[in-house]
Amino acid sequence: MRAKWAGLWKCAAWTGIGLSLYAGWLTVDDVRDRASSERDISAACDGLVSGAEVMDLQGGMVRAESTDWEPHRLDVADLPGNCVIYKVPSPGKSSLLFSLHVEADHGDEPLNEIGDEQDDPFVSVTRGRDPKADVTAVADMFPEPHDLGDGTLGHYTDQYVTVRAACTTDSRAGAPKLLNVTARAEYEDVSAADRERLARLARSAAQKVTDRLDCRTRLPALPDELTSVSARLRPARTADASCRWFARHLDAHGQRRLPDRALPVPVGSAAPVERCLLAVSPDQVRRVARGLDEGQREYADVALTHSPWWMRTVSYFGPEADTVGFPQDRHPRLIEPGTAGGTRGGWWASSLCDGRPALHTLSSAYLYDNVLGGKEIAALFRAYVDDITRRRGCTHVTFPKDKAFADVGK
């Protein structure tokens, strides 16, 4: 009996040793895979990010990979550019994890565009499948970002962080005027910890890019906390912050065919960009549709499914005012500060704020400007420009002439 127990004990001991060796081998293998992944990430992003920080996203992982496809590998010498990283949970399986995008303003092409070809903020996967869906309840694709601190460092949403660097005039000849570096989580339900990690990745990458391009600047410190950014719209009549001007406009002129929803963001006196998103609820679309002629009722039908009605005001101050344009004959055209005018679904006015150029813009979703008409849009845009230039203490305001709105709705 004693010999039998001794044999069982030896068997268990050898089994334990074998399992320990196997576990140790797996640990060594995991360490090797992680180290290899970190090097791969760094190479794909041209050394701008820490591979370890990227792999700590989404709770941490052992394996990640980039791609050999050139458009998804970053080269600081050839901007704009981006790198894309994939999580590898098991052999043969992967999912998007992270991307880094770097763009530079050399004064030849716009970084920001206005008009009805602007990114639609309402891109729900259910749109078009459910005619009863509320397509403007949440800006599920392009919510309005909040400022990083006072905004001079950049902006963020729950999904990404963009760090801006404005290069001073004593930078090396050929250095860009402005750099934007965006670190994005390519997965849903980004945690607060991951959002702060994205901020560190973006700021660190921006610092490295400015060093390489001899862009002289000083990046402010990151704020202590990045609070969650709401993408859910609220009733426009109660809007505050960046959309307060619109609530006042509704009080003074009535609802009529105007948006009844807004997504305001906090405003700061130093922020280089200020935004307000307005949209029309399905109930308001149906109310407006009753007053449309037969030819325009089709606009209301599609607004309930795949082409919702929305408007966005954005003002650009300082260096950002030199980065705005609109598509013309399939080629982007820069807007010259100090001018005013209109394009398809977009209008701009200009001013001087603190002695520096500023551009104030309004963009409308495709077809919605036809529903409103030129006079309504001109009055709305005037209310916005008057409000923001007064609030920011701007002078030399130049507003578009009547002919910029004359063809709307025709």
Side-chain angles (χ1 to χ4, degrees):
M1 189 67 167
R2 187 176 298 173
K4 181 178 178 181
W5 281 112
L8 289 173
W9 181 87
K10 289 180 181 179
C11 182
W14 282 112
T15 299
I17 292 172
L19 290 173
S20 297
L21 289 173
Y22 179 66
W25 177 81
L26 287 179
T27 300
V28 171
D29 194 48
D30 286 351
V31 169
R32 288 174 178 169
D33 282 354
R34 182 175 172 102
S36 176
S37 297
E38 291 175 6
R39 290 192 297 271
D40 186 28
I41 292 169
S42 181
C45 299
D46 201 9
L48 297 182
V49 298
S50 161
E53 280 266 44
V54 172
M55 294 190 68
D56 283 339
L57 291 167
Q58 213 174 12
M61 62 203 66
V62 173
R63 299 168 187 84
E65 64 183 11
S66 63
T67 173
D68 291 331
W69 191 41
E70 202 63 30
H72 283 180
R73 296 185 71 84
L74 187 58
D75 182 358
V76 173
D78 185 21
L79 298 178
N82 67 286
C83 58
V84 179
I85 306 301
Y86 297 83
K87 177 181 179 179
V88 184
S90 60
K93 294 185 178 180
S94 63
S95 58
L96 282 168
L97 173 68
F98 169 82
S99 67
L100 185 76
H101 183 74
V102 183
E103 54 186 359
D105 172 37
H106 289 281
D108 51 355
E109 290 191 6
L111 299 185
N112 304 284
E113 291 190 1
I114 67 170
D116 60 13
E117 293 186 17
Q118 207 181 103
D119 292 327
D120 184 345
F122 305 105
V123 185
S124 172
V125 295
T126 61
R127 184 188 302 163
R129 301 177 187 175
D130 182 3
K132 297 181 180 179
D134 190 342
V135 294
T136 60
V138 179
D140 50 3
M141 189 64 180
F142 296 101
E144 304 307 279
H146 285 200
D147 291 336
L148 278 172
D150 65 359
T152 55
L153 182 60
H155 55 265
Y156 75 99
T157 68
D158 284 355
Q159 200 77 23
Y160 70 85
V161 176
T162 295
V163 168
R164 67 181 288 275
C167 307
T168 59
T169 55
D170 61 345
S171 299
R172 175 182 59 82
K177 299 177 182 179
L178 184 71
L179 287 162
N180 286 331
V181 179
T182 300
R184 177 184 290 272
E186 300 290 354
Y187 51 89
E188 296 181 357
D189 300 324
V190 180
S191 67
D194 277 1
R195 193 161 54 245
E196 293 179 4
R197 185 170 286 109
L198 290 172
R200 293 194 298 271
L201 285 162
R203 190 185 184 283
S204 175
Q207 189 66 69
K208 292 176 182 176
V209 173
T210 58
D211 291 343
R212 290 195 204 175
L213 298 182
D214 292 331
C215 162
R216 296 192 179 183
T217 189
R218 188 186 70 82
L219 297 180
L222 289 167
D224 294 334
E225 182 183 13
L226 302 184
T227 58
S228 182
V229 174
S230 175
R232 182 167 292 278
L233 280 74
R234 65 185 68 173
R237 288 188 178 276
T238 64
D240 56 4
S242 65
C243 295
R244 187 187 301 275
W245 67 271
F246 184 66
R248 291 170 177 164
H249 184 74
L250 291 179
D251 287 343
H253 300 281
Q255 184 68 63
R256 298 194 298 272
R257 298 180 179 183
L258 293 171
D260 60 336
R261 285 175 171 172
L263 182 55
V265 296
V267 296
S269 59
V273 181
E274 186 177 312
R275 305 169 175 85
C276 168
L277 176 64
L278 307 172
V280 184
S281 70
D283 287 344
Q284 172 71 346
V285 169
R286 295 184 184 99
R287 283 192 291 268
V288 170
R290 289 195 288 268
L292 298 177
D293 58 40
E294 186 175 349
Q296 286 187 318
R297 285 178 187 168
E298 181 182 351
Y299 301 166
D301 292 340
V302 297
L304 296 172
T305 54
H306 59 278
S307 188
W309 293 343
W310 56 269
M311 308 183 86
R312 177 183 276 123
T313 58
V314 190
S315 283
Y316 304 88
F317 302 90
E320 266 74 11
D322 293 321
T323 70
V324 186
F326 58 90
Q328 185 178 61
D329 299 328
R330 299 185 180 180
H331 297 287
R333 175 184 169 184
L334 276 168
I335 295 173
E336 183 179 348
T339 66
T343 182
R344 197 181 78 174
W347 297 267
W348 72 91
S350 63
S351 68
L352 287 179
C353 304
D354 293 328
R356 298 182 300 173
L359 278 176
H360 315 286
T361 71
L362 170 67
S363 295
S364 174
Y366 179 61
L367 299 179
Y368 184 42
D369 51 348
N370 291 329
V371 170
L372 289 177
K375 290 183 179 179
E376 185 83 272
I377 292 176
L380 182 68
F381 191 34
R382 172 69 73 177
Y384 169 66
V385 174
D386 286 349
D387 178 86
I388 196 165
T389 53
R390 182 174 59 251
R391 182 160 46 83
R392 289 272 193 150
C394 305
T395 60
H396 297 80
V397 179
T398 303
F399 194 77
K401 295 181 179 179
D402 291 344
K403 65 180 183 179
F405 306 95
D407 293 333
V408 177
K410 294 182 180 180

